[in-house]
Amino acid sequence: MTDSLPHRPLSMLRAVVVAALIGVAFFLPQLFGGSSVAYSTLTTIALFAVMCYGVDVVLSYLGEVSLGHTVFWAIGGYVAALMSVHLGVNGWVTALATIGLSVAAATFLGLVTLRTREFVFSLVTYAAAVVTHEIAFNWDAVGGSDGTVGIPALKLPLGFFTYVGGTQEELWPIAFALLLLTLFFVARFRRSRLGTTALMVHMNPALATSLGVDQRRVRLAVFVISAPITALAGWLYAYQRAYVGPDMFEAYFLVMMLTAVVLVGRRILLGPLLGTAVLIIQQNLLSLGGDWNKVILGFVLAAVLIFWPAGLMGLVDHMRQRWLRKTRTNGRENKRSYMEEVQ
Amino acid sequence: MTAALACSHLTVSYDGNVALNGVSLSVGSGQMIGLVGANGAGKSTLVNAVAGWSRGRPAVSGSVTLDGADISALAAHARAQHGLLLVPEGKNIFAELTVDENLGLVRAPRDVAGRHVFSIADVFNLFPRLTERRTYKGGSLSGGERQMLAVGRALLAAPRVLILDEPSAGLAPRLILDLLERIRSLVDRGLPVLLVEQNVKAALKVVDHLYLLERGRIIAGGPTTVMKSDARIVEAYLGTLAVDRA
Amino acid sequence: MINILAVGFAAVLAASAPAFAQRAPIKVGTIFPLSGGAGPDGQSVTNGVKLALEQINEAGGLLGRKLVLISKDDESTPAVGVSRANELIAEKVDVAIEGWNSPVTLAMQPILARAGVLDITAVSKADLILAGQSNPLAIRINSSNGFDAAVIAKYVAETLKAKKVAFLTQNDAYGNGFQSTVEAEFKKLNFAGEVVLTEKFAFRDTDFRVQLTNIKAANPDAVIVTSASNSSGLPATIEQYRQADIKAPFVGAVGIMLPTVFKIAGDANNGVVSADIYFWNLPPFATIPENVSFVAAYKKAHGVEPDKSAALGAAALQVWARAVEATRSLDRKTVAEAIRGKSIKGTLFGDATFLPNGQLQPRYVVFKVVDGKNAKFEALQ
């Protein structure tokens, strides 16, 4: 736990610092030279980070590994692609449809997996992803194995004018806004009633029940709200790439989601964003070639899970605790007598 | 006047093996009822059946009423929401969270009619020890502090009835009595409590009524003053010396 | 993290800065799978591009400038391909030659097109690539499914004069698409025979005995087989076909008889008929001077003769270079319009004629396997 649970009012200073950091973050592409690679890399990082937050919510607050979030990711991509190509509707419409459909799909999958835990939960969600992949791959109405091409630029009418996201430079503000929205949502969720009860269920299901928490309802609710996060990332990804195909179900995205969340540590607000950034930067700018990248990614994932299951932040925390304990035992502390305890 | 908590003819069996056989008991307002018995007598089975827990797939018959309303069909979380609050044995705090966070998790219901409402200040008044530990993680608390925290958290949920399952497990004798006496002070203000205990000696000091459970049946029960000298209790749990001192 | 990012971008910027000021080289980018299962194939295409590029440099370059190759690995993953395409755009390449997997090509196409980079697809076969929706100036070297189906339909209908035809079809977009196109071609040819049976299988299947028993019972004059599983499913199909003792000719779809099939199924391949668009030593290629010199140079560099993949890569570069030479321009539109619907002389495919949609008109060699163990075959027709 890095943040404490009860609501802490944001101090003025903190608000100013956060606002300043957000401002700087927005101009990151320019700070890195303003090239199209800078824009596309940062847009991709923002986009994939949003994708990862859906998985993060489920993993960090239910303690379950969802292998089915590629379904929601693909729902976003397919809805944006098919509706904008065949119906010619704007981005708001496709976004709303994305949210609606992903919530419906998550409700269904959530109800199916309501009684499952851990390994079985992962397996069932994975099965859902496999089945959906097969459907997308073989159903010509959604593009079949070739997918859908010719997705137009993202159009977002804002009353008096329409924002058009065609180039990477134009898509960056949208990706950035989506990321901010997601961070805000997840931060609120962490402090919400649902967030805290989910954490109770995760930490001690029996105890949560004894306090009146309906485990199943909480699990279903968390799973359902995680879906549109990942789905909206898929929605924007469709416009960025202008092509959507069954590759959205590929392990590439699944591994990215899980690694990015686990790498830095669970239940850390910026964890998935940092994890995604590290992975994308390694792949795009410090690449050692496809085979080596996969070896390294697999090795890092395995090493983190085996040695520091709490992620890199967990490692830092561990070191700090050890240091603290050392300094503490050197000083006074820490023997309690029974007397003291009864007062 | 209806009892705050009553169960009648409660029978629990696992695959035909009867673990609890026709148990009836009731806890009235301002009463502290003790339920004692040896390991395996069926104490936990009774608590689970009353609270709506189902370990394995037991067949449960009989009824449980809370302030006169039948809650037999409700799930465990719903019974808790209705004010039947159980402080389970062991693992009854969130070890990763601080004392403040543990207490902050609970929100009292909106409708508190018929319930015993406690504020965080009440909890700290009852257990001043917790005040000093507010920023400590649950996992670093001593056994006694954990019990205080668990009871305090249950109080914040505005109970109708409080069930304590073996609160003395793993505690030093002095601490047990201290804890039970503090809880007794709540009972004197009206809170009904069902105390399930192995430590008969300690229980006898605080409860109004005592039931003795053996092999799934209540084999004896009555006011504490009577039960103190009941042969079965004396032989099995107290020994002569204890009777003398009591 | 910011430091890593800064170092990374600095590296990219340094790489994209002009290496020498006077006559800056022309940049040719390639994106193929260089790792994973399709890695060897993608390397083969890349080698073909590289060799053709070196041949041009040795002959004095293009428009008096040297050509340099920037090669990228798409890892057979569309998302990675998109990143690589963006990198090529940042490096300001003058042409991108790409595409082993259709989904990767389809994902990269709009990115390259929006950035105004000329995009030549070497291998990926999906029809959508040339549909013009994401790249109105698309160009493809490999044959299209439509042409492939036509040559097979023509062979079965006119050469074999089959009356009863059976299909053994891989049950996916590739297999079903191929079959329906062949059937459409039959109609165009006023085919007198009939399709007596269609048997399907999944890409991962290795046991085809039920389907083959049904085919034997139907007693067809020809069996048309599609299968993209060249390292397990297809060799198994061929061996079980022989075991089932089916007398009708095994007619394989275009491009399926790859080296692994010969290696695994050996002499069971004898008698298999198929077609393809490039053989280094068969007519007409054996007599095209550009091919002869390419084969010699390739053998010298890699110790083996070039396969179709390498030839497609080389042809892509040659077609582009000839068009640049002819138009004296590197502009995407100018060069693309000099290729689409036009004929380009002097490539290892001889005169390369393109349809208006950018598809190279392939020249097929229909062949029959005569010595499966040594992958020897003879050209028919």
Side-chain angles (χ1 to χ4, degrees):
Chain A
M1 294 299 306
T2 46
D3 279 20
S4 57
L5 276 167
H7 180 83
R8 243 187 336 200
L10 229 67
S11 70
M12 263 315 273
L13 180 70
R14 207 170 144 205
V16 169
V17 169
V18 169
L21 283 177
I22 289 172
V24 170
F26 182 75
F27 291 105
L28 270 183
Q30 276 99 323
L31 293 179
F32 288 124
S35 67
S36 70
V37 167
Y39 274 100
S40 77
T41 303
L42 287 163
T43 304
T44 305
I45 288 173
L47 205 72
F48 282 11
V50 174
M51 168 183 89
C52 296
Y53 274 103
V55 175
D56 173 56
V57 165
V58 174
L59 188 64
S60 295
Y61 296 90
L62 291 185
E64 298 287 6
V65 177
S66 167
L67 301 179
H69 267 60
T70 48
V71 173
F72 308 132
W73 167 246
I75 281 177
Y78 273 85
V79 165
L82 296 171
M83 288 184 74
S84 61
V85 168
H86 298 303
L87 305 177
V89 294
N90 69 42
W92 298 124
V93 179
T94 53
L96 277 179
T98 295
I99 293 171
L101 205 63
S102 59
V103 164
T107 307
F108 174 74
L109 192 54
L111 287 172
V112 170
T113 56
L114 205 53
R115 286 161 181 275
T116 63
R117 296 285 183 277
E118 295 170 3
F119 175 67
V120 182
F121 176 87
S122 299
L123 205 65
V124 176
T125 51
Y126 184 66
V130 170
V131 169
T132 325
H133 180 203
E134 284 299 316
I135 293 171
F137 193 87
N138 289 300
W139 190 19
D140 287 338
V142 298
S145 59
D146 280 350
T148 300
V149 299
I151 299 168
L154 172 59
K155 285 189 196 67
L156 294 172
L158 296 164
F160 49 96
F161 88 113
T162 297
Y163 188 90
V164 178
T167 64
Q168 300 294 327
E169 287 82 354
E170 289 163 354
L171 283 168
W172 162 248
I174 300 175
F176 188 77
L178 187 63
L179 177 63
L180 272 191
L181 205 68
T182 304
L183 285 172
F184 180 73
F185 182 81
V186 173
R188 282 297 299 268
F189 167 78
R190 289 152 61 94
R191 277 187 265 111
S192 72
R193 187 83 193 118
L194 181 61
T196 47
T197 42
L199 203 52
M200 285 160 75
V201 171
H202 175 28
M203 289 186 299
N204 191 337
L207 188 53
T209 305
S210 81
L211 292 169
V213 174
D214 185 350
Q215 280 188 52
R216 289 186 191 162
R217 232 181 80 192
V218 168
R219 288 173 59 90
L220 181 63
V222 171
F223 191 69
V224 167
I225 67 151
S226 79
I229 301 176
T230 300
L232 280 174
W235 166 82
L236 188 53
Y237 187 60
Y239 291 105
Q240 189 203 23
R241 210 170 72 167
Y243 162 73
V244 162
D247 76 281
M248 289 193 79
F249 293 93
E250 268 184 21
Y252 173 82
F253 299 110
L254 186 59
V255 172
M256 172 84 70
M257 293 182 206
L258 296 175
T259 315
V261 174
V262 172
L263 191 62
V264 179
R266 300 191 215 168
R267 268 180 257 148
I268 295 169
L269 182 59
L270 293 181
L273 174 60
L274 296 178
T276 309
V278 167
L279 292 177
I280 296 286
I281 288 167
Q282 191 274 325
Q283 272 177 27
N284 285 3
L285 303 176
L286 307 168
S287 176
L288 302 167
D291 289 333
W292 279 109
N293 285 353
K294 287 186 188 96
V295 168
I296 290 174
L297 186 63
F299 180 79
V300 168
L301 188 57
V304 167
L305 288 176
I306 293 168
F307 297 112
W308 318 291
L312 297 181
M313 279 311 287
L315 182 66
V316 172
D317 219 37
H318 178 72
M319 305 287 256
R320 206 186 56 192
Q321 297 266 331
R322 267 178 65 167
W323 186 77
L324 276 180
R325 207 172 306 147
K326 218 167 136 192
T327 49
R328 218 185 254 170
T329 40
N330 285 348
R332 349 112 277 147
E333 272 309 88
N334 185 334
K335 264 206 160 161
R336 286 192 215 92
S337 70
Y338 284 125
M339 278 313 293
E340 193 187 334
E341 193 157 337
V342 205
Q343 298 141 15
Chain B
M1 193 198 138
T2 53
L5 173 72
C7 57
S8 63
H9 309 297
L10 207 54
T11 299
V12 179
S13 58
Y14 294 90
D15 292 330
N17 297 324
V18 179
L20 200 65
N21 199 344
V23 169
S24 302
L25 57 81
S26 72
V27 185
S29 181
Q31 260 194 330
M32 189 165 186
I33 303 298
L35 180 77
V36 297
N39 264 334
K43 297 194 301 288
S44 294
T45 307
L46 175 69
V47 167
N48 289 340
V50 170
W53 289 91
S54 51
R55 227 172 272 158
R57 287 174 183 270
V60 181
S61 67
S63 73
V64 180
T65 59
L66 188 65
D67 277 346
D70 193 329
I71 56 165
S72 314
L74 295 182
H77 67 89
R79 295 187 194 197
Q81 283 169 3
H82 279 82
L84 180 62
L85 282 150
L86 165 69
V87 178
E89 182 196 354
K91 284 201 177 175
N92 52 18
I93 53 153
F94 295 103
E96 301 93 328
L97 304 184
T98 65
V99 168
D100 270 345
E101 288 168 343
N102 262 282
L103 295 174
L105 289 173
V106 188
R107 277 178 210 177
R110 258 182 231 123
D111 179 14
V112 292
R115 310 190 50 158
H116 301 268
V117 181
F118 296 86
S119 68
I120 289 201
D122 294 335
V123 170
F124 284 136
N125 275 336
L126 185 65
F127 303 119
R129 180 75 188 167
L130 287 181
T131 325
E132 302 161 26
R133 295 274 179 251
R134 288 177 72 151
T135 56
Y136 283 54
K137 292 212 167 161
S140 69
L141 300 181
S142 71
E145 290 163 348
R146 287 178 193 217
Q147 287 299 344
M148 294 176 199
L149 179 56
V151 171
R153 207 190 34 220
L155 293 178
L156 290 178
R160 286 177 198 277
V161 176
L162 192 64
I163 303 178
L164 302 174
D165 191 2
E166 307 255 359
S168 70
L171 260 61
R174 274 200 80 110
L175 288 173
I176 299 171
L177 201 58
D178 178 73
L179 181 71
L180 293 182
E181 275 168 356
R182 285 170 200 271
I183 291 166
R184 178 71 221 188
S185 71
L186 302 177
V187 177
D188 292 340
R189 279 183 264 155
L191 179 72
V193 171
L194 175 62
L195 172 70
V196 179
E197 257 302 344
Q198 247 185 318
N199 189 325
V200 180
K201 214 194 286 182
L204 277 171
K205 291 195 172 134
V206 289
V207 300
D208 303 305
H209 266 73
L210 195 72
Y211 292 98
L212 179 58
L213 197 65
E214 219 165 77
R215 269 166 283 151
R217 286 173 189 276
I218 289 180
I219 57 162
T224 311
T225 41
V226 178
M227 293 300 283
K228 252 181 203 167
S229 44
D230 187 290
R232 285 160 293 194
I233 297 273
V234 174
E235 273 170 37
Y237 302 100
L238 298 177
T240 32
L241 187 63
V243 176
D244 290 344
R245 273 169 66 177
Chain C
M1 162 219 140
I2 287 171
N3 279 335
I4 301 173
L5 200 61
V7 169
F9 278 118
V12 169
L13 288 176
S16 62
F20 35 88
Q22 351 76 291
R23 295 289 281 165
I26 298 174
K27 291 179 181 170
V28 175
T30 59
I31 309 176
F32 292 101
L34 303 179
S35 56
D41 299 311
Q43 282 162 13
S44 184
V45 190
T46 309
N47 287 338
V49 176
K50 190 162 177 249
L51 206 65
L53 182 144
E54 282 162 1
Q55 285 186 316
I56 290 175
N57 277 343
E58 279 161 27
L62 188 61
L63 304 180
R65 293 160 69 183
K66 262 186 115 57
L67 297 179
V68 291
L69 182 73
I70 302 168
S71 160
K72 303 278 180 185
D73 177 8
D74 65 32
E75 301 173 30
S76 299
T77 304
V80 176
V82 167
S83 298
R84 301 296 169 258
N86 277 314
E87 288 166 27
L88 288 188
I89 292 164
E91 299 192 35
K92 300 198 163 49
V93 295
D94 295 289
V95 62
I97 299 172
E98 50 73 30
W100 177 267
N101 301 288
S102 290
V104 183
T105 295
L106 289 166
M108 294 189 295
Q109 256 190 322
I111 307 283
L112 292 166
R114 278 183 201 165
V117 173
L118 180 62
D119 173 7
I120 299 179
T121 303
V123 185
S124 305
K125 291 186 89 144
D127 292 334
L128 274 179
I129 293 169
L130 296 178
Q133 278 163 305
S134 42
N135 180 10
L137 297 173
I139 293 163
R140 175 167 60 200
I141 308 300
N142 200 3
S143 61
S144 67
N145 291 324
F147 282 125
D148 289 352
V151 71
I152 295 296
K154 192 156 181 269
Y155 175 78
V156 170
E158 294 182 355
T159 310
L160 286 180
K161 297 192 187 343
K163 293 278 169 268
K164 293 195 284 182
V165 177
F167 281 98
L168 182 55
T169 297
Q170 185 170 311
N171 194 10
D172 60 13
Y174 153 72
N176 295 328
F178 186 83
Q179 178 177 345
S180 63
T181 321
V182 169
E183 287 177 303
E185 288 295 328
F186 279 155
K187 274 213 184 86
K188 273 194 221 161
L189 296 167
N190 292 319
F191 178 46
E194 57 166 337
V195 176
V196 290
L197 186 68
T198 297
E199 287 290 334
K200 303 212 168 174
F201 60 91
F203 176 74
R204 288 188 184 81
D205 287 356
T206 51
D207 184 348
F208 308 92
R209 283 174 294 186
V210 174
Q211 290 95 327
L212 291 170
T213 308
N214 293 343
I215 288 173
K216 189 174 166 66
N219 195 23
D221 301 319
V223 183
I224 300 176
V225 182
T226 57
S227 171
S229 175
N230 57 293
S231 56
S232 64
L234 181 56
T237 310
I238 293 171
E239 277 170 352
Q240 290 164 22
Y241 193 90
R242 298 300 172 219
Q243 282 159 13
D245 197 27
I246 300 170
K247 296 284 184 269
F250 182 112
V251 182
V254 169
I256 66 172
M257 298 303 288
L258 295 170
T260 46
V261 181
F262 292 108
K263 205 184 279 170
I264 299 169
D267 278 339
N269 289 301
N270 292 351
V272 167
V273 175
S274 184
D276 217 328
I277 58 165
Y278 177 80
F279 297 95
W280 66 274
N281 56 348
L282 290 187
F285 304 103
T287 55
I288 297 170
E290 284 80 3
N291 183 53
V292 173
S293 75
F294 174 74
V295 171
Y298 195 94
K299 181 136 200 226
K300 198 172 151 206
H302 301 288
V304 289
E305 286 84 7
D307 56 5
K308 178 170 84 169
S309 307
L312 288 170
L317 187 92
Q318 289 172 345
V319 164
W320 166 78
R322 299 284 175 265
V324 169
E325 226 163 42
T327 57
R328 306 205 62 76
S329 165
L330 286 166
D331 175 64
R332 169 180 179 237
K333 197 155 179 278
T334 314
V335 176
E337 281 171 355
I339 297 172
R340 291 161 60 92
K342 305 277 169 28
S343 188
I344 305 277
K345 290 187 198 315
T347 77
L348 57 71
F349 286 150
D351 290 355
T353 305
F354 285 84
L355 303 182
N357 69 356
Q359 171 64 50
L360 174 67
Q361 174 97 53
R363 289 197 222 171
Y364 288 97
V365 179
V366 180
F367 64 88
K368 181 189 247 171
V369 179
V370 290
D371 178 2
K373 208 173 249 167
N374 299 307
K376 291 245 160 60
F377 30 76
E378 59 183 30
L380 303 174
Q381 295 170 341

